[in-house]
Amino acid sequence: MCNCAAYNSDELYTWCTNCGNYGIHASIKRALADKNIKPSEVLLCFDIGCHGNGADKINAYSVHGLHGRILPFAAGAAIANKAVTTIAFGGDGGTLSEGINHLIHSIRANYNFTFVLHDNSNYGLTTGQASATTKQGLEMNSSPSGVTSDTLIPMELVLSLKPSFAARTFSGNIKHMESIFKQAIEHEGFSYVEVLQSCPTYNKVTPHEWYAQRVYDVSTLEDYDSSDLELARKVAQDVQDKIAIGVLYLNKDKKDYYSRLASRKSIKTELVEEVKGYNVGNIIDKFR
Ligand code: SF4
């Protein structure tokens, strides 16, 4: 039984019936509660998109950022105060278009926070335009004759950058998502979690049932080794017939960004404490 009450908000959800966002929210709450993390000890950073409209639906510190730009915000917050658990959320629209550079550099830097990609293969908030993960040829609101560009498989991109943590799950299985979120939160470094999300309103091609019939957890494979990058790249490719979920790749030896900072090696205080002791009033006065 989940002890998630502290995370419940009085705000009413506005998502469509059966939207995958409901399950993702429930799983995040369960993961945080199960790890005994209090709402005052977590920062939830939401990008723009349908998922972002849930920013005030969880009782915790939260921010609702600019389209595609939530990763640098979360990175700054995670660096400034390591005592706070930072989790960022973005959709396939913002993250894999104007925000794709931030994803690449977050993986390179290995900032210490969790990133949850809500991949429903369309821009749901703006009524079903094609995103980078929409299947080629599919007729969408912005492409009535069918999507012309190649379809991006985000996990292939992520694994090509040698991440420290890369996992995949799907919004039809709350227990699986909860387990993956907990492992992502525990990981020290950038935890990339790809959630294959249903969008029953604008994505009729891949509902929960479609995923449920195709997914398998890599931990059920005999001899699957999550430290084998080439193996992860191999199983990640198929997103049509047999779809690999679970922790596909894990490298515990890769140091996170803050640990690599030579200038912070002997300093025990958090950056946020040092800022508190610095009077920026004089600088601000110059611009008055
Ligand atoms: Fe969910 Fe899709 Fe509705 Fe957005 S449009 S709330 S993603 S079902």
Side-chain angles (χ1 to χ4, degrees), residues 14-22 49-51 53 118 120 122-128 197-203:
T14 54
W15 295 320
C16 310
T17 303
N18 284 335
C19 175
N21 281 321
Y22 291 107
C50 286
H51 77 279
N53 286 358
H118 294 239
N120 60 14
N122 80 97
Y123 288 82
L125 188 65
T126 49
T127 69
Q197 186 198 317
S198 79
C199 168
T201 302
Y202 295 112
N203 179 348

Side-chain angles (χ1 to χ4, degrees), residues 23-24 27 169-171 173-181:
I24 298 172
S27 309
T169 180
F170 87 110
S171 62
N173 189 331
I174 286 179
K175 278 192 178 166
H176 193 270
M177 284 190 285
E178 179 187 349
S179 164
I180 294 293
F181 290 149

Side-chain angles (χ1 to χ4, degrees), residues 56-71:
D56 57 352
K57 313 298 189 292
I58 293 187
N59 176 39
Y61 288 117
S62 64
V63 62
H64 197 175
L66 299 174
H67 197 237
R69 311 298 180 191
I70 203 61
L71 288 174

Side-chain angles (χ1 to χ4, degrees), residues 50-262:
C50 286
H51 77 279
N53 286 358
D56 57 352
K57 313 298 189 292
I58 293 187
N59 176 39
Y61 288 117
S62 64
V63 62
H64 197 175
L66 299 174
H67 197 237
R69 311 298 180 191
I70 203 61
L71 288 174
F73 182 92
I79 292 167
N81 192 349
K82 301 193 298 305
V84 169
T85 298
T86 303
I87 305 175
F89 304 86
D92 48 297
T95 305
L96 302 173
S97 289
E98 69 264 49
I100 201 163
N101 55 336
H102 302 309
L103 177 62
I104 290 170
H105 296 296
S106 294
I107 295 168
R108 284 185 59 235
N110 203 26
Y111 297 122
N112 189 14
F113 68 93
T114 296
F115 174 54
V116 178
L117 178 73
H118 294 239
D119 184 4
N120 60 14
S121 298
N122 80 97
Y123 288 82
L125 188 65
T126 49
T127 69
Q129 292 79 24
S131 76
T133 60
T134 308
K135 287 185 176 57
Q136 191 180 37
L138 209 61
E139 293 176 10
M140 302 293 288
N141 279 348
S142 56
S143 39
S145 304
V147 176
T148 49
S149 299
D150 291 346
T151 307
L152 182 73
I153 299 176
M155 188 60 84
E156 284 191 334
L157 170 70
V158 167
L159 291 172
S160 75
L161 297 164
K162 301 183 181 143
S164 61
F165 183 103
R168 195 191 265 151
T169 180
F170 87 110
S171 62
N173 189 331
I174 286 179
K175 278 192 178 166
H176 193 270
M177 284 190 285
E178 179 187 349
S179 164
I180 294 293
F181 290 149
K182 281 197 279 196
Q183 293 175 72
I185 291 167
E186 282 160 19
H187 178 68
E188 291 183 12
F190 187 73
S191 309
Y192 170 79
V193 180
E194 186 176 298
V195 182
L196 305 171
Q197 186 198 317
S198 79
C199 168
T201 302
Y202 295 112
N203 179 348
K204 310 287 187 194
V205 181
T206 56
H208 278 141
E209 298 74 18
W210 190 90
Y211 285 119
Q213 288 159 5
R214 288 164 175 79
V215 295
Y216 67 95
D217 193 294
V218 289
S219 64
T220 63
L221 294 176
E222 203 175 327
D223 297 332
Y224 189 82
D225 179 0
S226 61
S227 68
D228 185 337
L229 184 59
E230 287 312 310
L231 187 56
R233 293 176 82 160
K234 197 171 162 193
V235 300
Q237 286 172 11
D238 188 351
V239 289
Q240 274 302 313
D241 299 318
K242 291 180 72 183
I243 304 174
I245 59 173
V247 178
L248 304 193
Y249 183 66
L250 176 62
N251 180 356
K252 287 184 179 165
D253 296 331
K254 191 168 175 173
K255 286 198 168 131
D256 75 279
Y257 179 82
Y258 195 97
S259 308
R260 298 182 201 173
L261 287 175

